[in-house]
Amino acid sequence: MKDLLIKNLASLATNRGKGPQGGKSMGEILEITHPWVLVRDGKILRIGGEELEKEAVDAEIIDGEGKTLLPGFVDPHTHLVFGGTREEEFSMRLRGESYMAIMEKGGGIKYTVKKTREKSFEELLESGKKTLKSMAEMGITTVEAKSGYGLDKETELKQLRVAKALQKEGPLEVVSTFMGAHDIPLEYKGRDRAFLDYLAEEVLPVVKEEGLAEFGDIFTEKNVFTVEDSRAYLLRMREAGLKLKIHADEINDLGGASLAAELGLTSADHLLKANDEGLRKMKESGVIPVLLPLTAFSLKEDFARARDMIDMGLPVAMGTDFNPGSCYSFSVPLMISLGALYMGMSPEEALTAVTLNSAAALDRADRIGSIEEGKDADLVLIDAPSYRFLTYHFGMNLVTTTIKKGKIIYNKR
């Protein structure tokens, strides 16, 4: 593998560390003007100046004149693999129907479940490849992919096998999450605990045997899964060797944040309605809040309280929540803009939220999420002289080059 030499940069900007950064540390960005960066064997070998040209061996060269180098963006929450789209439901919401009302009519997740069950492995794989290619154009280098549109053994495993194949083929790193507990299928209506038992006894053993997921997740919400049922099921997934996440306090303040803290989960996601006590407990337990502003934007809901969380010392991360219903978008530029303009985040905090803290939400901050010698060369070049243009030139995709482990996976022509 050739060396990669990035020269003549206007600037480089990154947070630093091998773990999540909370509170004031979220805003502590290292900015270097006119650096050169040398990559070898997929790792960042050296950050310096013109002297690196002599150290490079048969290097591929990128001229970064006028551009800024950032860590590759990490998307820690998506529902990547699915069948069908729900554009009609979006129109219904614009006419005033609520997301929960649409679900109660048989729309929402249940509609996507029907369409996903109908799709073949090959069809889902091709759709996933197309999405990953577009994500790379947004500067995303690592993405989480949840199941949860099967709600049966066959389709849940199919989704996870597709995600595993996407991880193998690239170009992005795909981190799989088993989320069979995304909704309650009609055949289990009124028997919530029986459905969780089915997932734990029939599906989870195969997930473990085939190595199909690194994380487990559950939708803890009114009319879906209670805190009590979620606790029991999360513990069963932990016993099976999965790291844990939770969809918490999105529509109602149900106590999901407190449950995440109690069990010491890796992350709690959404948190639009989370109360201060639950957030403080999360801080004490080291749970990472993953906020999803694109979903709140799409549903016209109040945004999660990023400013309050950061001021509490929490290491806020942001993900797109790309899915066919509540958020048919993986626009990193729009997500960053919403974080800054409507959630009270500084440009520095927003950058940390989509890089190092999002890497930590996937338990990968030791090797990705920042530009430091020895870490993987997951990098993004933007056509701007400073990282501040991410928020200043709002909503625009400034990415010109995306690099994964030292390999160029997108280059704007």
Side-chain angles (χ1 to χ4, degrees), residues 223-412:
N223 298 325
V224 193
F225 297 105
T226 66
V227 167
E228 293 73 22
D229 285 353
S230 296
R231 178 186 293 108
Y233 180 68
L234 285 164
L235 289 173
R236 293 180 82 169
M237 288 197 289
R238 176 171 281 166
E239 288 171 6
L242 297 183
K243 292 174 274 191
L244 302 176
K245 296 174 169 289
I246 185 173
H247 280 51
D249 303 331
E250 177 186 6
I251 302 166
N252 297 278
D253 179 9
L254 211 64
S258 293
L259 177 61
E262 174 193 331
L263 300 182
L265 307 191
T266 301
S267 75
D269 301 24
H270 285 291
L271 301 171
L272 274 67
K273 307 297 183 182
N275 61 57
D276 285 354
E277 181 184 5
L279 295 175
R280 281 192 290 267
K281 288 178 178 177
M282 282 176 52
K283 167 65 168 61
E284 294 166 4
S285 298
V287 181
I288 297 169
V290 175
L291 308 185
L292 310 168
L294 291 176
T295 305
F297 178 72
S298 173
L299 297 177
K300 297 196 285 187
E301 297 286 347
D302 292 336
F303 292 97
R305 297 183 292 133
R307 181 74 266 145
D308 291 344
M309 294 180 197
I310 295 169
D311 291 344
M312 287 181 185
L314 281 158
V316 168
M318 286 196 293
T320 68
D321 193 21
F322 172 62
N323 72 79
S326 60
C327 184
Y328 194 56
S329 175
F330 43 82
S331 173
V332 174
L334 178 57
M335 178 173 68
I336 290 173
S337 297
L338 294 173
L341 292 170
Y342 292 99
M343 294 164 67
M345 303 172 77
S346 70
E348 295 76 18
E349 291 163 346
L351 177 59
T352 301
V354 298
T355 55
L356 187 57
N357 284 356
S358 285
L362 295 179
D363 197 24
R364 280 158 169 74
D366 60 326
R367 62 177 180 82
I368 64 172
S370 61
I371 304 176
E372 299 179 80
E373 293 174 359
K375 279 197 169 186
D376 287 358
D378 288 13
L379 306 166
V380 171
L381 268 173
I382 63 169
D383 189 12
S386 164
Y387 69 91
R388 295 171 184 86
F389 277 69
L390 290 174
T391 46
Y392 169 59
H393 200 24
F394 54 85
M396 304 299 294
N397 185 12
L398 303 176
V399 173
T400 63
T401 307
T402 305
I403 299 163
K404 179 67 182 177
K405 290 188 177 180
K407 180 181 178 182
I408 297 171
I409 61 171
Y410 166 70
N411 201 21
K412 184 176 182 180

